Coordinates of all heavy atoms in Angstrom, one line a residue:
E225 N 75.0 50.5 132.4 CA 76.0 51.0 131.5 C 76.7 49.9 130.7 O 76.8 48.7 131.3 CB 77.1 51.7 132.2 CG 77.3 53.1 131.7 CD 78.4 53.9 132.4 OE1 78.0 54.4 133.5 OE2 79.5 53.9 132.1
G226 N 76.9 50.0 129.4 CA 77.4 49.0 128.7 C 76.5 48.0 128.1 O 76.8 46.9 127.5
F227 N 75.2 48.1 128.6 CA 74.2 47.0 128.1 C 73.5 47.6 126.9 O 73.1 48.7 126.9 CB 73.2 46.9 129.3 CG 72.4 45.6 129.1 CD1 72.9 44.4 129.5 CD2 71.1 45.6 128.8 CE1 72.2 43.2 129.3 CE2 70.2 44.6 128.5 CZ 70.8 43.4 128.8
P228 N 73.4 46.7 125.9 CA 72.6 47.2 124.8 C 71.3 47.8 124.9 O 70.6 47.4 125.9 CB 72.7 46.0 123.7 CG 73.7 45.1 124.3 CD 73.8 45.4 125.8
D229 N 70.9 48.7 124.0 CA 69.5 49.2 124.0 C 68.6 48.2 123.3 O 68.6 48.1 122.2 CB 69.5 50.5 123.4 CG 68.2 51.3 123.4 OD1 67.4 50.9 124.4 OD2 68.0 52.2 122.6
Y230 N 67.8 47.6 124.2 CA 66.7 46.6 123.7 C 65.4 47.1 123.8 O 65.0 47.9 124.9 CB 66.9 45.2 124.3 CG 68.1 44.5 124.1 CD1 69.3 44.6 124.9 CD2 68.1 43.5 123.0 CE1 70.4 43.8 124.6 CE2 69.3 42.8 122.8 CZ 70.3 43.0 123.5 OH 71.5 42.2 123.1
D231 N 64.5 46.9 123.0 CA 63.0 47.2 123.3 C 62.2 46.0 122.8 O 62.5 45.4 121.7 CB 62.6 48.4 122.6 CG 61.3 49.1 123.1 OD1 60.9 48.6 124.1 OD2 60.8 50.0 122.4
T232 N 61.2 45.7 123.4 CA 60.3 44.6 123.0 C 58.9 45.1 123.2 O 58.5 45.8 124.1 CB 60.5 43.3 123.8 OG1 59.6 42.4 123.2 CG2 60.1 43.5 125.2
V233 N 57.9 44.9 122.1 CA 56.5 45.2 122.2 C 55.9 43.9 122.1 O 56.0 43.1 121.1 CB 56.2 46.1 121.0 CG1 54.8 46.4 120.9 CG2 57.0 47.4 121.0
Q234 N 55.1 43.7 123.0 CA 54.1 42.4 123.1 C 52.7 42.8 122.9 O 52.3 44.0 123.3 CB 54.2 41.7 124.4 CG 55.7 41.2 124.7 CD 55.7 40.4 126.0 OE1 55.0 40.8 126.9 NE2 56.4 39.4 126.0
F235 N 52.0 42.1 122.0 CA 50.6 42.4 121.6 C 49.8 41.2 121.4 O 50.4 40.1 121.1 CB 50.7 43.3 120.4 CG 51.4 42.8 119.2 CD1 50.8 42.0 118.2 CD2 52.8 42.9 119.1 CE1 51.2 41.5 117.1 CE2 53.4 42.3 118.0 CZ 52.7 41.7 117.0
C236 N 48.6 41.4 121.4 CA 47.6 40.2 121.3 C 46.4 40.8 120.6 O 45.8 41.7 121.2 CB 47.5 39.4 122.5 SG 46.5 38.0 122.4
N237 N 46.1 40.1 119.4 CA 44.7 40.4 118.9 C 43.7 39.3 119.5 O 43.9 38.0 119.3 CB 44.8 40.3 117.5 CG 43.4 40.4 116.8 OD1 42.5 39.7 117.1 ND2 43.3 41.3 115.8
L238 N 42.8 39.7 120.4 CA 42.0 38.8 121.1 C 41.2 37.9 120.2 O 40.9 36.7 120.5 CB 41.2 39.5 122.1 CG 41.9 40.3 123.2 CD1 41.0 40.9 124.2 CD2 42.7 39.3 124.0
T239 N 40.8 38.4 119.0 CA 40.0 37.5 118.1 C 40.9 36.4 117.6 O 40.6 35.3 117.5 CB 39.4 38.5 117.0 OG1 38.6 39.4 117.5 CG2 38.6 37.5 116.0
L240 N 42.1 36.8 117.2 CA 43.0 35.8 116.6 C 43.5 34.8 117.8 O 43.6 33.6 117.6 CB 44.2 36.4 116.0 CG 43.9 37.2 114.6 CD1 45.2 37.9 114.2 CD2 43.4 36.2 113.7
A241 N 43.6 35.3 119.0 CA 44.0 34.5 120.1 C 42.9 33.5 120.5 O 43.3 32.3 120.6 CB 44.2 35.4 121.4
R242 N 41.7 33.9 120.3 CA 40.6 33.0 120.6 C 40.7 31.9 119.4 O 40.4 30.7 119.7 CB 39.2 33.7 120.6 CG 38.1 32.7 120.8 CD 36.8 33.4 120.9 NE 35.7 32.5 121.1 CZ 34.7 32.6 121.9 NH1 34.5 33.7 122.6 NH2 33.8 31.7 122.1
T243 N 40.8 32.3 118.1 CA 40.8 31.4 117.2 C 42.0 30.3 117.4 O 41.7 29.1 117.2 CB 41.0 32.2 115.8 OG1 40.0 33.0 115.5 CG2 41.1 31.2 114.6
I244 N 43.1 30.7 117.5 CA 44.2 29.7 117.7 C 44.0 28.9 118.9 O 44.4 27.6 118.9 CB 45.6 30.5 117.8 CG1 46.7 29.5 117.5 CG2 45.8 31.3 119.0 CD1 48.0 30.0 117.3
L245 N 43.4 29.4 120.0 CA 43.2 28.6 121.2 C 42.2 27.6 121.0 O 42.1 26.5 121.6 CB 43.1 29.5 122.5 CG 44.3 30.2 122.8 CD1 44.0 31.2 124.0 CD2 45.4 29.2 123.2
E246 N 41.1 27.9 120.2 CA 40.1 26.9 119.8 C 40.7 25.8 119.0 O 40.2 24.7 119.0 CB 39.0 27.7 119.1 CG 38.1 28.5 120.1 CD 37.0 29.3 119.5 OE1 37.1 29.5 118.2 OE2 36.2 29.9 120.2
I247 N 41.6 26.1 118.1 CA 42.3 25.1 117.3 C 43.0 24.1 118.2 O 42.8 22.9 118.1 CB 43.4 25.7 116.2 CG1 42.6 26.5 115.3 CG2 44.1 24.6 115.6 CD1 43.4 27.3 114.4
T248 N 43.8 24.7 119.2 CA 44.4 23.7 120.2 C 44.9 24.7 121.4 O 45.5 25.8 121.2 CB 45.8 23.1 119.7 OG1 46.3 22.5 120.7 CG2 46.7 24.0 118.9
P249 N 44.7 24.3 122.6 CA 45.1 25.0 123.8 C 46.6 25.1 123.9 O 47.1 26.0 124.7 CB 44.3 24.4 125.0 CG 43.9 23.0 124.4 CD 43.8 23.1 123.0
H250 N 47.2 24.1 123.3 CA 48.7 24.2 123.3 C 49.3 25.3 122.7 O 50.5 25.6 122.9 CB 49.2 22.8 122.8 CG 48.8 21.6 123.5 ND1 48.9 21.3 124.9 CD2 47.8 20.7 123.1 CE1 48.4 20.2 125.2 NE2 47.6 19.8 124.2
A251 N 48.6 26.0 121.8 CA 49.1 27.1 121.2 C 49.3 28.3 122.1 O 50.1 29.3 121.6 CB 48.2 27.6 120.0
I252 N 49.0 28.2 123.3 CA 49.3 29.4 124.2 C 50.7 29.6 124.3 O 51.1 30.8 124.5 CB 48.8 29.0 125.7 CG1 48.8 30.1 126.6 CG2 49.5 27.8 126.3 CD1 47.7 31.2 126.2
R253 N 51.6 28.7 124.0 CA 53.1 28.9 124.1 C 53.6 30.0 123.0 O 54.7 30.5 123.1 CB 53.9 27.6 123.8 CG 53.7 27.0 122.4 CD 54.4 25.7 122.4 NE 54.2 24.9 121.3 CZ 53.5 23.7 121.3 NH1 53.1 23.2 122.3 NH2 53.3 23.2 120.1
Y254 N 52.7 30.2 122.0 CA 53.0 31.2 121.0 C 52.6 32.6 121.3 O 52.8 33.6 120.5 CB 52.5 30.8 119.6 CG 52.9 29.5 119.3 CD1 52.1 28.4 119.1 CD2 54.3 29.1 119.1 CE1 52.5 27.1 118.7 CE2 54.7 27.8 118.8 CZ 53.8 26.8 118.6 OH 54.2 25.6 118.3
M255 N 52.0 32.8 122.5 CA 51.3 34.1 122.8 C 52.1 34.8 124.0 O 52.5 34.1 124.8 CB 49.9 33.8 123.1 CG 49.1 33.3 121.9 SD 47.5 32.6 122.4 CE 46.6 34.0 122.7
P256 N 52.2 36.1 124.1 CA 51.6 36.9 123.0 C 52.6 37.1 121.9 O 53.8 36.6 122.0 CB 51.4 38.3 123.8 CG 52.6 38.2 124.8 CD 52.7 36.7 125.2
C257 N 52.2 37.7 120.9 CA 53.2 38.1 119.7 C 54.0 39.1 120.3 O 53.8 39.8 121.1 CB 52.4 38.6 118.5 SG 51.4 37.3 117.8
N258 N 55.3 39.2 119.8 CA 56.2 40.2 120.2 C 57.1 40.6 119.0 O 57.5 39.8 118.2 CB 57.0 39.8 121.5 CG 58.0 38.8 121.2 OD1 59.1 39.1 120.6 ND2 57.9 37.6 121.8
V259 N 57.6 41.9 119.1 CA 58.6 42.3 118.2 C 59.6 42.9 119.0 O 59.3 43.8 119.9 CB 58.0 43.5 117.2 CG1 59.0 44.0 116.3 CG2 56.8 42.8 116.3
V260 N 60.9 42.6 118.8 CA 62.0 43.2 119.5 C 62.9 44.0 118.5 O 62.9 43.8 117.2 CB 62.9 42.1 120.0 CG1 62.1 41.3 121.1 CG2 63.5 41.1 119.1
T261 N 63.3 45.1 119.1 CA 64.3 45.9 118.4 C 65.6 46.1 119.2 O 65.5 46.2 120.5 CB 63.9 47.3 118.0 OG1 63.6 48.0 119.2 CG2 62.5 47.2 117.2
Y262 N 66.8 46.1 118.5 CA 68.0 46.3 119.3 C 69.1 46.8 118.3 O 69.0 46.5 117.1 CB 68.4 45.0 120.0 CG 68.6 43.8 119.3 CD1 69.9 43.4 118.9 CD2 67.4 43.0 119.0 CE1 70.0 42.2 118.2 CE2 67.7 41.9 118.2 CZ 68.9 41.5 117.8 OH 69.1 40.2 117.0
Q263 N 70.2 47.3 118.9 CA 71.3 47.7 118.0 C 72.3 46.6 118.1 O 72.6 46.0 119.1 CB 71.9 49.0 118.6 CG 71.0 50.2 118.6 CD 70.6 50.6 117.2 OE1 71.5 50.7 116.4 NE2 69.4 51.0 117.0
F264 N 72.9 46.3 116.9 CA 74.0 45.3 116.9 C 75.0 45.8 115.7 O 74.5 45.9 114.6 CB 73.6 43.9 116.7 CG 74.6 42.9 116.6 CD1 75.1 42.4 117.8 CD2 74.8 42.3 115.4 CE1 76.0 41.4 117.9 CE2 75.8 41.3 115.4 CZ 76.4 40.9 116.5
E265 N 76.2 45.9 116.0 CA 77.3 46.2 115.1 C 76.8 47.4 114.3 O 77.0 47.5 113.0 CB 77.6 45.1 114.2 CG 78.3 44.0 115.1 CD 78.7 42.8 114.3 OE1 78.3 42.7 113.0 OE2 79.3 41.9 114.8
G266 N 76.2 48.5 114.8 CA 75.9 49.7 114.2 C 74.5 49.6 113.4 O 74.1 50.5 112.6
K267 N 73.8 48.5 113.6 CA 72.6 48.3 112.7 C 71.4 48.2 113.8 O 71.7 47.6 114.9 CB 72.6 47.1 111.8 CG 73.6 47.3 110.7 CD 73.6 46.1 109.8 CE 74.6 46.2 108.7 NZ 74.6 45.0 107.9
T268 N 70.3 48.5 113.3 CA 69.0 48.2 114.1 C 68.4 47.1 113.7 O 68.1 46.9 112.4 CB 68.0 49.5 114.0 OG1 68.6 50.7 114.5 CG2 66.7 49.2 114.8
I269 N 68.2 46.1 114.5 CA 67.7 44.8 114.2 C 66.2 44.9 114.7 O 65.9 45.3 115.8 CB 68.4 43.7 115.0 CG1 69.8 43.7 114.7 CG2 67.9 42.3 114.5 CD1 70.4 43.6 113.3
V270 N 65.2 44.4 113.9 CA 64.0 44.2 114.2 C 63.5 42.7 113.9 O 63.6 42.4 112.7 CB 63.0 45.2 113.3 CG1 61.5 45.1 113.8 CG2 63.5 46.6 113.4
R271 N 63.0 42.1 114.9 CA 62.7 40.6 114.7 C 61.4 40.3 115.5 O 61.0 40.9 116.4 CB 63.9 39.8 115.3 CG 65.1 40.2 114.6 CD 66.1 39.1 114.9 NE 66.0 38.1 113.7 CZ 66.8 37.1 113.6 NH1 67.8 36.9 114.4 NH2 66.5 36.1 112.7
T272 N 60.9 39.1 115.2 CA 59.8 38.4 115.9 C 60.0 36.9 115.7 O 60.8 36.5 115.0 CB 58.4 39.0 115.2 OG1 57.4 38.5 116.1 CG2 58.2 38.4 113.9
H273 N 59.1 36.2 116.5 CA 59.1 34.8 116.3 C 57.9 34.5 115.4 O 56.9 34.9 115.7 CB 58.9 34.2 117.8 CG 60.0 34.3 118.7 ND1 61.1 33.5 118.6 CD2 60.1 35.1 119.7 CE1 61.9 33.9 119.6 NE2 61.4 34.9 120.2
L274 N 58.2 33.5 114.5 CA 57.1 33.1 113.7 C 56.6 31.8 114.2 O 57.3 31.0 114.8 CB 57.7 32.8 112.2 CG 58.1 34.2 111.5 CD1 58.7 33.8 110.2 CD2 57.1 35.2 111.6
L275 N 55.4 31.5 114.0 CA 54.7 30.3 114.4 C 55.2 29.2 113.3 O 55.3 29.3 112.2 CB 53.1 30.3 114.3 CG 52.5 31.0 115.4 CD1 52.7 32.6 115.5 CD2 51.1 30.8 115.3
P276 N 55.4 27.9 113.9 CA 55.8 26.9 113.0 C 54.5 26.5 112.1 O 53.3 26.4 112.5 CB 55.9 25.6 114.0 CG 55.2 26.0 115.3 CD 55.2 27.6 115.3
E277 N 54.9 26.2 110.9 CA 53.8 26.0 109.9 C 53.9 24.6 109.3 O 53.0 24.2 108.5 CB 54.2 26.9 108.6 CG 54.2 28.4 108.9 CD 54.5 29.2 107.7 OE1 54.9 28.6 106.7 OE2 54.5 30.6 107.9
Q278 N 54.6 23.7 109.8 CA 54.8 22.3 109.4 C 54.5 21.3 110.6 O 55.2 20.2 110.5 CB 56.2 22.1 108.8 CG 56.6 23.0 107.6 CD 55.7 22.9 106.5 OE1 55.3 21.8 106.1 NE2 55.3 24.0 105.8
G279 N 53.5 21.6 111.4 CA 53.2 20.7 112.5 C 52.3 19.5 112.2 O 51.9 19.4 110.9
D280 N 51.8 18.9 113.1 CA 50.9 17.7 112.9 C 49.4 18.1 112.7 O 48.7 17.4 112.3 CB 50.9 16.7 114.0 CG 52.3 16.1 114.0 OD1 53.0 15.9 113.1 OD2 52.7 15.6 115.3
N281 N 49.2 19.4 113.1 CA 47.8 19.9 113.0 C 47.7 20.8 111.7 O 48.2 21.9 111.7 CB 47.6 20.8 114.3 CG 46.1 21.2 114.5 OD1 45.5 21.7 113.4 ND2 45.5 21.1 115.7
A282 N 46.9 20.3 110.7 CA 46.7 21.1 109.5 C 46.1 22.4 109.7 O 46.4 23.4 109.0 CB 46.0 20.2 108.5
E283 N 45.1 22.4 110.6 CA 44.4 23.6 110.9 C 45.3 24.7 111.5 O 45.3 25.9 111.1 CB 43.1 23.3 111.7 CG 42.2 24.6 111.8 CD 41.0 24.4 112.7 OE1 40.8 23.4 113.2 OE2 40.1 25.2 112.7
L284 N 46.1 24.3 112.4 CA 47.0 25.3 113.1 C 48.1 25.7 112.0 O 48.5 26.8 112.0 CB 47.7 24.5 114.2 CG 48.7 25.4 115.0 CD1 48.1 26.6 115.6 CD2 49.3 24.5 116.2
N285 N 48.5 24.7 111.1 CA 49.5 25.1 110.1 C 49.0 26.2 109.2 O 49.6 27.2 108.8 CB 49.9 23.9 109.4 CG 50.7 22.9 110.0 OD1 51.2 23.2 111.1 ND2 50.7 21.7 109.5
Q286 N 47.7 26.1 108.8 CA 47.0 27.2 108.0 C 46.8 28.3 108.7 O 47.1 29.5 108.1 CB 45.6 26.5 107.6 CG 44.9 27.5 106.7 CD 43.5 26.9 106.3 OE1 43.1 25.9 106.7 NE2 42.8 27.7 105.4
F287 N 46.6 28.4 110.0 CA 46.5 29.6 110.8 C 47.8 30.2 110.9 O 48.0 31.4 110.8 CB 46.0 29.4 112.1 CG 45.9 30.6 113.0 CD1 44.9 31.4 113.2 CD2 47.1 30.9 113.9 CE1 44.7 32.4 114.0 CE2 46.9 32.1 114.7 CZ 45.9 32.7 114.7
A288 N 49.0 29.5 111.1 CA 50.3 30.0 111.2 C 50.7 30.6 110.1 O 51.4 31.7 110.0 CB 51.3 28.7 111.5
V289 N 50.4 30.0 108.8 CA 50.8 30.7 107.6 C 50.2 32.2 107.4 O 51.0 33.1 107.1 CB 50.3 29.8 106.3 CG1 50.6 30.6 105.0 CG2 51.2 28.6 106.3
A290 N 49.0 32.3 107.8 CA 48.4 33.6 107.7 C 48.8 34.5 108.9 O 49.2 35.7 108.6 CB 46.8 33.4 107.9
M291 N 49.1 34.0 110.0 CA 49.6 34.9 111.0 C 51.0 35.3 110.8 O 51.3 36.5 111.0 CB 49.5 34.0 112.4 CG 49.8 34.8 113.6 SD 48.5 36.0 114.0 CE 49.5 37.5 114.3
N292 N 51.8 34.4 110.2 CA 53.3 34.7 110.0 C 53.2 35.9 108.9 O 54.2 36.7 108.9 CB 53.9 33.5 109.6 CG 54.2 32.6 110.6 OD1 54.2 32.9 111.8 ND2 54.6 31.3 110.4
R293 N 52.3 35.7 107.9 CA 52.4 36.9 106.9 C 52.0 38.2 107.6 O 52.7 39.1 107.3 CB 51.2 36.5 105.9 CG 51.2 37.4 104.7 CD 50.2 37.0 103.6 NE 50.1 35.7 103.3 CZ 49.1 34.8 103.7 NH1 48.0 35.3 104.3 NH2 49.1 33.5 103.4
Q294 N 51.2 38.2 108.5 CA 50.9 39.4 109.3 C 52.1 40.0 110.1 O 52.5 41.2 110.2 CB 49.7 39.3 110.2 CG 48.4 39.1 109.3 CD 47.2 39.0 110.2 OE1 47.1 39.6 111.3 NE2 46.2 38.1 109.8
L295 N 52.7 39.0 110.8 CA 53.8 39.3 111.6 C 55.0 39.9 110.7 O 55.6 40.8 111.2 CB 54.3 38.1 112.5 CG 53.5 37.7 113.5 CD1 53.9 36.2 114.1 CD2 53.4 38.7 114.7
K296 N 55.3 39.3 109.7 CA 56.3 39.7 108.7 C 55.9 41.1 108.3 O 56.8 42.1 108.2 CB 56.5 38.9 107.5 CG 57.1 37.6 107.8 CD 57.1 36.5 106.7 CE 57.6 35.2 107.1 NZ 57.5 34.4 106.0
Q297 N 54.6 41.5 108.0 CA 54.2 42.8 107.6 C 54.5 43.9 108.7 O 54.9 44.9 108.5 CB 52.8 42.9 107.2 CG 52.5 42.2 105.9 CD 51.0 42.0 105.6 OE1 50.1 42.2 106.5 NE2 50.7 41.8 104.3
I298 N 54.3 43.4 110.0 CA 54.5 44.3 111.0 C 55.9 44.6 111.2 O 56.4 45.8 111.4 CB 53.9 43.6 112.5 CG1 52.4 43.7 112.4 CG2 54.5 44.4 113.6 CD1 51.7 42.9 113.4
V299 N 56.8 43.6 111.1 CA 58.3 43.9 111.2 C 58.8 44.7 110.0 O 59.5 45.7 110.2 CB 59.0 42.5 111.3 CG1 60.5 42.6 111.0 CG2 58.7 41.7 112.5
D300 N 58.3 44.4 108.9 CA 58.7 45.2 107.6 C 58.2 46.7 107.9 O 59.0 47.6 107.7 CB 57.9 44.7 106.4 CG 58.6 43.4 105.9 OD1 59.7 43.1 106.4 OD2 58.0 42.8 105.0
F301 N 57.0 46.9 108.3 CA 56.5 48.2 108.7 C 57.5 49.0 109.7 O 57.9 50.1 109.5 CB 55.2 48.3 109.1 CG 54.6 49.7 109.4 CD1 54.1 50.5 108.4 CD2 54.6 50.2 110.7 CE1 53.6 51.8 108.7 CE2 54.0 51.4 111.0 CZ 53.7 52.2 110.1
A302 N 57.8 48.2 110.8 CA 58.6 48.9 111.9 C 60.0 49.1 111.3 O 60.6 50.2 111.7 CB 58.6 47.8 113.1
A303 N 60.6 48.3 110.5 CA 61.9 48.5 109.9 C 62.0 49.7 109.1 O 63.0 50.5 108.9 CB 62.4 47.2 109.3
Q304 N 60.8 49.9 108.2 CA 60.8 51.1 107.4 C 60.6 52.4 108.0 O 60.8 53.4 107.4 CB 59.9 50.8 106.4 CG 60.1 49.6 105.4 CD 59.0 49.3 104.5 OE1 58.0 50.0 104.3 NE2 59.2 48.1 103.7
N305 N 60.1 52.5 109.2 CA 59.7 53.7 109.9 C 60.6 54.1 111.1 O 61.4 53.6 111.7 CB 58.3 53.6 110.4 CG 57.3 53.6 109.2 OD1 57.4 54.6 108.4 ND2 56.6 52.6 109.1

């Protein structure tokens, strides 16, 4: 009682997971992807974590830009429905 209503959905596209892990095994820290929803001050918040796009690995940065675009689309879709 008195605890906010939170929900989290974790997901993983195995093809993309393989791609990012082949770029660098250190990318495991970004997996799985997740989207959270919760109520705050009468509003429903929908959020996710984005991958860093400005690291030392150019190939990982390029992957992150594409993946972040998809994550933003997922959040936008969830927020509209």
